[in-house]
Amino acid sequence: MSMPYPRAGSRAPGQPFTVLMVCTGNICRSPLAEHLLRARLPRAFGADTLPDVQIASSGTRAVVGAPLEPEARIELERLGAADHAQHRARQLEPDHVRESDLVLGLEREHRGAALVLEPVASRRAFTLREFARIVGAMADGRLTHDVAPLDSRGVARFMDDVVAAAARGRGLLPPPDAPEELDIPDPYRRGARAHRASADASSAAVDALVDALRALAAA
């Protein structure tokens, strides 16, 4: 990952916006979500690629060096993001959190683990579903925000504004009916049906986030 920019000041020219996905083993959920977001996020900004955004993943108890689980690979390919051959699981480290502009845990415990390593990241750490939920509420008017449409400031600075607004709005939305609604279920060693359900949940969350960002960018 690139070196962090001073978050209290302006983003350095050319500094990419970095996203970190976090799960347990880094062989199922977080790499699947990483590759789905990498494949789909450009459409939020009417682009084919997004050099201004870097997306990575780590695991709190990673199977270090392992490739994507076969069942997760099948689901990722079904969902249209097949660029995963180079993935190797890595253990979550403090620098991964410190150098990320947005940390997305696949469960609440993953967000918590990231904050144990880097407590000051609390305002830029969410679960994937939580972040999609908040940004969706910003996009459809249920949550007041001050994010300006995408302009010459570029995608990275636009995303900075979205994360800052999401942090301010986090406590203003009614909570979900059950806290578990903020989590993506763990499919590891639970069979093909569990992998399908988990992958579909991640895919829906990524799509909801991308659609909300597209609406905010064009507003």
Side-chain angles (χ1 to χ4, degrees), residues 86-106:
Q86 302 304 312
H87 175 76
R88 294 297 181 268
R90 64 176 189 166
Q91 180 65 30
L92 179 67
E93 301 288 350
D95 282 353
H96 299 166
V97 183
R98 188 176 303 121
E99 296 174 7
S100 296
D101 299 302
L102 174 62
V103 178
L104 296 176
L106 275 293

Side-chain angles (χ1 to χ4, degrees), residues 41 44-45 135 139 158-159 162 208-218:
L41 186 60
F45 305 103
V135 178
F158 171 82
M159 289 300 302
V162 171
L209 176 56
V210 168
D211 288 348
L213 290 171
R214 178 169 52 192
L216 289 173

Side-chain angles (χ1 to χ4, degrees), residues 36-83:
L36 287 180
L37 187 61
R38 184 178 294 122
R40 297 176 183 179
L41 186 60
R43 78 182 188 215
F45 305 103
D48 295 324
T49 61
L50 281 180
D52 287 351
V53 179
Q54 295 179 354
I55 307 171
S57 62
S58 300
T60 58
R61 297 192 299 277
V63 187
V64 175
L68 205 65
E69 274 284 285
E71 294 92 341
R73 184 179 68 243
I74 289 168
E75 294 305 319
L76 190 55
E77 292 173 355
R78 174 180 67 88
L79 292 166
D83 183 21

Side-chain angles (χ1 to χ4, degrees), residues 71-190:
E71 294 92 341
R73 184 179 68 243
I74 289 168
E75 294 305 319
L76 190 55
E77 292 173 355
R78 174 180 67 88
L79 292 166
D83 183 21
H84 54 71
Q86 302 304 312
H87 175 76
R88 294 297 181 268
R90 64 176 189 166
Q91 180 65 30
L92 179 67
E93 301 288 350
D95 282 353
H96 299 166
V97 183
R98 188 176 303 121
E99 296 174 7
S100 296
D101 299 302
L102 174 62
V103 178
L104 296 176
L106 275 293
E107 291 185 52
R108 289 161 292 153
E109 70 176 56
H110 302 133
R111 176 183 184 269
L115 295 183
V116 168
L117 297 177
E118 190 67 19
V120 298
S122 62
R123 293 183 61 80
R124 48 192 167 88
F126 307 80
T127 73
L128 172 60
R129 276 179 156 173
E130 177 189 25
F131 191 64
R133 183 173 184 263
I134 295 170
V135 178
M138 290 162 52
D140 67 19
R142 288 178 291 126
L143 188 61
T144 302
H145 64 88
D146 57 359
V147 178
L150 181 66
D151 56 19
S152 59
R153 72 191 188 280
V155 170
R157 290 185 179 178
F158 171 82
M159 289 300 302
D160 285 338
D161 293 347
V162 171
V163 172
R168 291 190 294 270
R170 190 199 309 261
L172 301 179
L173 280 181
D177 293 337
E180 294 77 14
E181 292 179 24
L182 299 178
D183 300 337
I184 299 293
D186 186 0
Y188 184 58
R189 293 183 175 175
R190 294 177 182 171

